[in-house]
Amino acid sequence: MTEPIVVIEHLQKHFGKFQALKDITMTVNAGEVFGFIGPNGAGKSTTIRTLLGILKKSGGSATIFGQDVWHEAVAIHKRLAYVPGDVTLWPNLSGGEAIDLFLRLNDQAHSPRTDALIAKFDLDVRKKARTYSKGNRQKVALIAALSTDADLYIFDEPTSGLDPLMEEVFQQEVLGLKAAGKSVLLSSHILSEVERMCDRIAIIREGTIIETGTLDAMRQLSRTQIRVTTQQPLDAIAALPAVHSFKATGTKATFAVDSEALGDVMRALTPLGITALQSTPPTLEDLFLRYYNQEGGADDATR
Ligand SMILES: Nc1ncnc2c1ncn2[C@@H]1O[C@H](COP(=O)(O)OP(=O)(O)O)[C@@H](O)[C@H]1O
Ligand SMILES: [Mg+2]
């Protein structure tokens, strides 16, 4: 097997007395899109800034391409592209000038791919950066990073401020990187984004990785939300052990089902004459709540 691209072991970071990272352990493999998800303040950006050599760790270890992220930052950065969640630009440069400057700082040249990306992201590159919205500043950094030939791409909540159409463009580009065998670390709190692109994810909460694996495996552990209308009364459904939080008004009901029992519940519903049915897969919040309850006790979930 090829060497992992990113290896983080028991990484810790404190700011004074505050411990932002308590225990971060995760591995990004070659050719993989790895999702790093967690609520605001969980420590995603702190982990990424430590990986970039911007912050110095307080404990544990972190390597990229087998090199220490602090001591060998220069060598690592030659093979890395990064987009932060909040891009700052030179106010007096045009968007196009900013893209080219980002590229030059990374020893890259403006290429046909750069032009293709500018067209795809529909960016007016002639405008001064100071007139740009957050979304447009994000686009500048995304275009520069995506037209960079790197081995590892790190995106820290890159689509905040982008409209859904542009989010779609971003997702296609990331899938393209994956098809080209590149490695991607993507932090996000948007499950649908992570779902579509990521091979594996790590969930971070309060500076600790609480779960790592495929999203599929995690979904199996959680509940699907069902809203249904039937011709017959739904009492038999309420009694099923896999059904939770059951609420009914007449023959309309909402409830949650353990995802592994979805088939059984559907078979129990069919004879009741389904007239309307809506099923919502577990959301990121559901996944979080499940892990919060498991790991931290119920009061953590309600904080
Ligand atoms: N430079 C800093 N000094 C003090 N506290 C910080 C600093 N940077 C981040 N933090 C704190 O560390 C925690 C994690 O922040 P962050 O990594 O930005 O979370 P996320 O990116 O997951 O939203 C937060 O409580 C944040 O307030
Ligand atoms: Mg962040």
Side-chain angles (χ1 to χ4, degrees):
M1 235 189 94
T2 49
E3 298 268 296
I5 300 293
V6 182
V7 179
I8 307 175
E9 278 170 348
H10 306 298
L11 186 69
Q12 297 185 0
K13 174 69 193 174
H14 47 75
F15 297 108
K17 279 189 184 153
F18 177 69
Q19 186 135 26
L21 304 181
K22 296 175 190 133
D23 185 5
I24 304 293
T25 296
M26 61 191 205
T27 301
V28 180
N29 295 312
E32 155 173 277
V33 181
F34 190 91
F36 188 31
I37 65 177
N40 287 333
K44 301 181 294 297
S45 298
T46 302
T47 303
I48 288 173
R49 289 197 195 107
T50 309
L51 285 178
L52 294 168
I54 297 169
L55 292 175
K56 191 173 185 184
K57 71 182 183 199
S58 312
S61 68
T63 62
I64 298 181
F65 312 127
Q67 297 169 302
D68 181 85
V69 294
W70 181 256
H71 295 289
E72 293 170 276
V74 174
I76 291 170
H77 277 265
K78 290 189 175 135
R79 301 171 58 191
L80 184 107
Y82 164 62
V83 177
D86 202 354
V87 174
T88 315
L89 297 176
W90 302 265
N92 203 36
L93 297 193
S94 71
E97 288 168 334
I99 290 171
D100 290 350
L101 184 47
F102 274 133
L103 286 171
R104 247 180 289 138
L105 290 173
N106 256 330
D107 276 332
Q108 303 279 319
H110 189 113
S111 65
R113 174 150 168 80
T114 315
D115 291 323
L117 284 162
I118 290 169
K120 275 189 191 163
F121 279 104
D122 193 21
L123 179 70
D124 183 346
V125 290
R126 291 162 305 176
K127 285 201 177 130
K128 295 272 191 198
R130 67 166 156 268
T131 68
Y132 277 166
S133 63
K134 173 171 165 53
N136 281 336
R137 291 198 301 272
Q138 244 15 70
K139 286 181 185 181
V140 166
L142 283 169
I143 291 164
L146 289 165
S147 65
T148 296
D149 183 21
D151 295 317
L152 173 66
Y153 296 79
I154 298 181
F155 300 108
D156 188 3
E157 305 208 35
T159 57
S160 48
L162 290 192
D163 60 48
L165 214 63
M166 292 303 140
E167 209 177 302
E168 171 71 27
V169 172
F170 170 72
Q171 292 184 9
Q172 283 168 8
E173 289 302 323
V174 170
L175 291 174
L177 293 177
K178 179 166 140 181
K182 307 292 193 176
S183 308
V184 178
L185 173 61
L186 169 75
S187 95
S188 181
H189 64 267
I190 308 168
L191 186 63
S192 60
E193 179 173 277
V194 161
E195 227 181 336
R196 178 160 170 215
M197 294 187 287
C198 296
D199 303 294
R200 290 189 310 127
I201 63 172
I203 299 181
I204 180 174
R205 179 185 67 127
E206 292 174 13
T208 304
I209 297 290
I210 53 173
E211 188 67 47
T212 315
T214 66
L215 205 54
D216 268 355
M218 289 184 202
R219 277 180 180 287
Q220 287 299 312
L221 298 171
S222 34
R223 291 171 185 168
T224 301
Q225 197 66 33
I226 301 286
R227 178 184 295 272
V228 68
T229 311
T230 49
Q231 287 157 345
Q232 313 282 329
L234 283 146
D235 310 321
I237 302 298
L240 294 173
V243 169
H244 309 271
S245 320
F246 183 91
K247 286 188 203 79
T249 5
T251 56
K252 270 189 190 168
T254 60
F255 53 88
V257 183
D258 296 331
S259 295
E260 70 265 16
L262 206 50
D264 296 339
V265 173
M266 287 303 141
R267 275 186 288 280
L269 276 172
T270 309
L272 306 179
I274 300 171
T275 55
L277 176 79
Q278 193 189 353
S279 131
T280 316
T283 61
L284 186 55
E285 285 69 30
D286 298 333
L287 282 172
F288 280 152
L289 282 177
R290 180 177 169 98
Y291 288 110
Y292 285 13
N293 288 333
Q294 225 173 39
E295 308 271 330
D299 21 81
D300 282 64
T302 51
R303 237 191 256 162

